[in-house]
């Protein structure tokens, strides 16, 4: 007599993690922290524009030669790009699926009004959409030059930045996106800390302060570049 074979399989640990709300929140937290680390490094790199075209262009060239001679030209940069794209996709997908799950779990409106959340909390979803659209525009403007104004010059990032921030719409898009980024970081860092278990009664105040400082530093740091171009400090 032949033994019956089992056709059902237990889902993998990865699948179980992805399907659970806790897993999605953890993925959001980790991917968010990866993007936050990148933003800090990217902001510092952007500030090199205040040291002149030579310094800024040299930094842009160094990004493409990182890891040489062990890595080939632009390999390290492409590794960073792939990691960032993966982090953005995982972050956005988790956020969307958690939002849909939350809506399905509460199909009817609350009888009693919920306490008003902070402005950052209430704008997280719209802020995410704004940032996603900005990333697309930013790449098409300063990486591929597809929508760049003034004639894109490959290998001359300093002049390309000047061109972008010499237009009213370039400044408007960038500044609005950076304000949205500040609000997103402020609430996102706090949420990530809670999800990863870093928060407690004694550390909550410190974590909120860190979140506020990070949001302020990143916002001011990024916005300082278009403001400097607009005011003629950088030209």
């Amino acid at each position: 007599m032949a033994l019956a074979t089992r056709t059902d399989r237990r889902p993998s640990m990865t699948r179980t993690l992805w399907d659970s709300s806790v897993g999605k929140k953890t993925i959001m937290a980790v991917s968010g922290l990866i993007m936050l680390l990148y933003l800090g490094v990217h902001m510092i790199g952007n500030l090199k524009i205040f040291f002149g075209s030579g310094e800024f262009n040299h930094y842009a060239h160094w990004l493409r030669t990182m890891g040489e001679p062990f890595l080939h030209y632009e390999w390290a940069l492409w590794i960073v790009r792939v990691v960032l794209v993966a982090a953005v996709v995982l972050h956005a997908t988790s956020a969307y699926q958690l939002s849909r799950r939350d809506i399905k779990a509460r199909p009817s409106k609350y009888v009693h009004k919920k306490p008003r959340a902070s402005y950052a909390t209430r704008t997280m979803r719209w802020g995410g959409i704004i940032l996603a659209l900005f990333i697309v525009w930013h790449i098409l403007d300063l990486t591929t030059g597809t929508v760049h104004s003034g004639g894109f010059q490959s290998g001359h990032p300093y002049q390309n930045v000047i061109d972008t921030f010499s237009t009213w719409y370039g400044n408007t898009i960038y500044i609005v996106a950076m304000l949205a980024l500040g609000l997103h970081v402020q609430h996102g860092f706090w949420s990530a800390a809670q999800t990863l278990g870093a928060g407690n009664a004694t550390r909550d105040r410190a974590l909120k302060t860190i979140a506020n400082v990070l949001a302020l530093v990143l916002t001011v740091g990024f916005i300082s570049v278009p403001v400097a171009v607009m005011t003629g400090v950088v030209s």
Side-chain angles (χ1 to χ4, degrees), residues 14 16-35 87 90-91 94-95 98 101 188 191-197:
T14 303
T16 301
L17 177 68
W18 177 253
D19 287 340
S20 69
S21 294
V22 173
K24 291 184 187 299
K25 289 179 180 179
T26 301
I27 291 170
M28 277 192 69
V30 173
S31 59
L33 291 176
I34 290 173
M35 290 186 287
L90 289 171
H91 195 81
S94 298
L98 283 170
R101 185 172 294 182
S191 297
Q194 301 306 309
T195 298
L196 298 176

Side-chain angles (χ1 to χ4, degrees), residues 167-228:
T167 62
W168 67 268
Y169 58 86
N171 290 315
T172 301
I173 292 172
Y174 195 87
I175 291 174
V176 169
M178 292 307 100
L179 292 174
L181 173 68
L183 292 173
H184 210 77
V185 168
Q186 181 188 40
H187 180 70
F189 179 84
W190 167 254
S191 297
Q194 301 306 309
T195 298
L196 298 176
N200 59 35
T202 58
R203 289 196 292 262
D204 279 355
R205 180 175 295 182
L207 288 171
K208 287 181 178 179
T209 300
I210 293 172
N212 291 334
V213 170
L214 281 173
L216 180 62
V217 169
L218 287 173
T219 303
V220 173
F222 279 118
I223 289 180
S224 66
V225 176
V227 170

Side-chain angles (χ1 to χ4, degrees), residues 54-131:
E55 183 83 10
F56 192 74
N57 289 340
H58 177 70
Y59 163 69
H61 176 72
W62 172 81
L63 289 176
R64 288 158 175 77
T65 59
M66 284 188 300
E68 289 187 346
F70 179 73
L71 297 176
H72 287 286
Y73 184 75
E74 286 195 343
W75 276 22
L77 182 59
W78 274 106
I79 291 172
V80 172
R81 286 170 174 169
V82 170
V83 171
L84 278 174
V85 168
V88 170
V89 170
L90 289 171
H91 195 81
T93 303
S94 298
Y96 174 77
Q97 292 182 353
L98 283 170
S99 176
R100 298 301 302 173
R101 185 172 294 182
D102 186 54
I103 292 172
K104 289 180 180 179
R106 298 196 302 253
S108 58
K109 293 183 178 180
Y110 290 99
V111 176
H112 302 287
K113 290 184 177 180
K114 294 173 65 179
R116 289 195 65 183
S118 68
Y119 186 77
T121 303
R122 288 184 280 117
T123 56
M124 279 296 283
R125 291 172 187 170
W126 282 110
I129 293 173
I130 290 172
L131 290 173

Side-chain angles (χ1 to χ4, degrees), residues 45-53 56 157-158 161-162 225 228-229 234:
N46 282 1
L47 295 179
K48 286 183 173 292
I49 200 168
F50 289 98
F51 296 94
S53 61
F56 192 74
Y158 183 90
V161 170
I162 299 297
V225 176
V229 175
V234 172

